[in-house]
Amino acid sequence: MKLARRLDRIEPFYVMECAKAAAEIARGPLCDPAQGGRPMLYLNIGEPDFTAPPPVLAAAQACLDAGRTQYTPAAGLPELREAISRWYGERFGLDIPARRILVTAGASAALQLLTQVLFEPGDEVLLSDPGYPCNRHFVSAAGATPRLLPTTPEHRFQLDAAAVEAAWTPATRGVLLASPSNPTGTSIDPEEMQRIVAAVRARGGVTIVDEIYLGLSFDERFGGSALRWGEDVISVNSFSKYFSMTGWRLGWLVLPEALVAPVEMLAQHLFICASTVAQRAALACFEPESIAEYEARRAEFRRRRDWLVPALEAIGFKVPVLPDGAFYVWADASAFCASSWDFAFELMEKAQVCVTPGRDFGHAGTERFVRFSFANAMPQLQEAVRRLQQLLSR
């Protein structure tokens, strides 16, 4: 069977390959207590160990009980768009009208819609290296060229305006940023974000900011949205991370008004609408009881970060930049290996600890790095570090 040539531009999702390998090891004797094994510890998954809080679950059940499962408008439930609008006002002091908000089937659907609407063959889009791999593959799938720009710890593993200006060519259509970022957990300084937006605007380009970890910031300076820098900034967001609804597949876009109609038209064709049950459940995310729970969870993530980073450094990893958001530590493992890919498999087999090697995230020295996720309970983090220390000290 002949496959579309666009697949030639898409690399495997190596995170998933590691996860499959870990699952295979977990089914074998190394993890079988009856054979002296121990359970696999997963520090590779970018998924909160918390699930949706009780009000959200109750809202989903009420939706099912009432049989309210018919299609919604392609742009999302009007009341959910209004609730998101109010959240921007209450949390960030931003006036984001509901008419600029479009609910999507997860942030992935949001990015697919954007890249299909905005980019075409011959265009290039600037992204940071390291960065989340799926973002560049969405650009490739649209026929455009993702151009990865190497970043450094001095710039928090993020692009800055000078790098954007230097890399801009006649083919450049815009930038796709992520703040806070996966895999580094670092954010773009707000003043630098303002300069990037101005540089892109001056060149007639588009600024897209992946903000799916918005809300999971541990430093007030980095806790705001890029939407403050103008109505032409596009934000991609999700109910998966801060709101703990990963499998519900629900996200949203904040768009310039001129983009709402074309994006909605494409959404009608590609998705019809996001899950009705997920949308009605998500209304309860904004209830005071839910927000209080989410803030308690954010504090717990910060507590885990504050324990894990020095614990990793104490056993020989280097963490060039303290993560200020999300739930990842981007750690240099070159003291232990030349290839973090091989190292990750060694950890799975010898310590029964699963981490994410840097291969997925770009080419700017990423082979030296591993990503640790602290979206896991403190006892598991502590046991994982104990095992790593035991192995690496040998």
Side-chain angles (χ1 to χ4, degrees), residues 64-84:
L64 292 171
D65 290 343
R68 304 180 71 187
T69 57
Q70 295 81 9
Y71 292 137
T72 72
L77 286 170
E79 55 265 47
L80 181 56
R81 298 167 76 190
E82 290 286 353
I84 296 169

Side-chain angles (χ1 to χ4, degrees), residues 262-277:
V263 173
E264 182 178 5
M265 179 188 68
L266 192 59
Q268 290 167 344
H269 289 293
L270 294 184
F271 300 103
I272 300 181
C273 67
S275 163
T276 300
V277 176

Side-chain angles (χ1 to χ4, degrees), residues 4 64 89 96 101 113 146 154 218 244 282 287 313 328 385 393:
L64 292 171
I96 307 295
I101 297 168
L113 289 167
E154 291 72 27
F218 313 125
S244 306
E287 294 179 5
E313 291 180 325
Y328 304 115
V385 170
S393 64

Side-chain angles (χ1 to χ4, degrees), residues 1 19 24 41 123 131 146 181 187 212 220 241 251 329 340 381:
M1 181 180 294
E24 183 66 27
L41 298 176
D123 292 341
S181 166
S187 302
I212 70 169
E220 185 177 349
K241 309 301 183 179
V329 179
S340 64
L381 296 177

Side-chain angles (χ1 to χ4, degrees), residues 58-359:
Q61 189 61 57
C63 174
L64 292 171
D65 290 343
R68 304 180 71 187
T69 57
Q70 295 81 9
Y71 292 137
T72 72
L77 286 170
E79 55 265 47
L80 181 56
R81 298 167 76 190
E82 290 286 353
I84 296 169
S85 173
R86 287 192 299 273
W87 182 68
Y88 277 111
E90 294 165 1
R91 179 69 181 264
F92 305 105
L94 296 173
D95 180 14
I96 307 295
R99 64 180 180 272
R100 291 180 53 206
I101 297 168
L102 193 143
V103 178
T104 62
S108 295
L111 283 160
Q112 182 181 6
L113 289 167
L114 278 179
T115 52
Q116 294 292 327
V117 165
L118 291 173
F119 308 132
E120 58 191 1
D123 292 341
E124 67 176 20
V125 181
L126 307 180
L127 301 94
S128 67
D129 183 350
Y132 185 57
C134 297
N135 288 2
R136 69 178 185 265
H137 293 317
F138 281 119
V139 173
S140 293
T145 300
R147 188 170 165 206
L148 303 186
L149 304 183
T151 61
T152 64
E154 291 72 27
H155 291 100
R156 306 181 55 75
F157 293 116
Q158 293 280 6
L159 297 185
D160 60 8
V164 170
E165 291 169 346
W168 201 276
T169 74
T172 307
R173 183 73 179 87
V175 297
L176 174 47
L177 312 171
S179 184
S181 166
N182 176 5
T184 65
T186 61
S187 302
I188 300 175
D189 185 272
E191 293 180 0
E192 194 61 49
M193 180 71 81
Q194 184 181 24
R195 287 190 284 269
I196 293 171
V197 171
V200 174
R201 183 183 294 138
R203 289 159 177 77
V206 59
T207 299
I208 302 169
V209 187
D210 174 347
E211 296 190 314
I212 70 169
Y213 297 96
L214 187 67
L216 285 177
S217 290
F218 313 125
D219 185 322
E220 185 177 349
R221 176 168 182 79
F222 300 110
S225 169
L227 291 169
R228 75 180 87 173
W229 303 123
E231 294 187 5
D232 55 342
V233 174
I234 299 171
S235 174
V236 178
N237 215 316
S238 172
F239 283 93
S240 289
K241 309 301 183 179
Y242 176 73
F243 294 104
S244 306
M245 293 178 69
T246 50
W248 301 69
R249 307 315 302 136
L250 194 65
W252 74 86
L253 286 164
V254 179
L255 299 163
E257 292 204 35
L259 273 182
V260 172
V263 173
E264 182 178 5
M265 179 188 68
L266 192 59
Q268 290 167 344
H269 289 293
L270 294 184
F271 300 103
I272 300 181
C273 67
S275 163
T276 300
V277 176
Q279 289 190 64
R280 294 199 180 279
L283 287 166
C285 290
F286 304 100
E287 294 179 5
E289 179 184 344
S290 297
I291 293 295
E293 179 63 25
Y294 292 134
E295 287 301 292
R297 294 174 179 184
R298 179 166 70 105
E300 172 61 16
F301 282 132
R302 178 171 186 162
R303 185 175 79 93
R304 295 175 187 179
R305 178 204 66 172
D306 291 346
W307 181 85
L308 182 60
V309 170
L312 291 173
E313 291 180 325
I315 60 176
F317 291 94
K318 296 178 182 178
V319 181
V321 186
L322 182 71
D324 60 78
F327 31 66
Y328 304 115
V329 179
W330 185 238
D332 187 337
S334 57
F336 310 112
C337 65
S339 164
S340 64
W341 177 260
D342 296 336
F343 183 60
F345 280 83
E346 182 180 7
L347 296 185
M348 284 190 277
E349 292 167 356
K350 295 183 178 179
Q352 290 75 62
V353 174
C354 184
V355 301
T356 300
R359 175 180 291 186

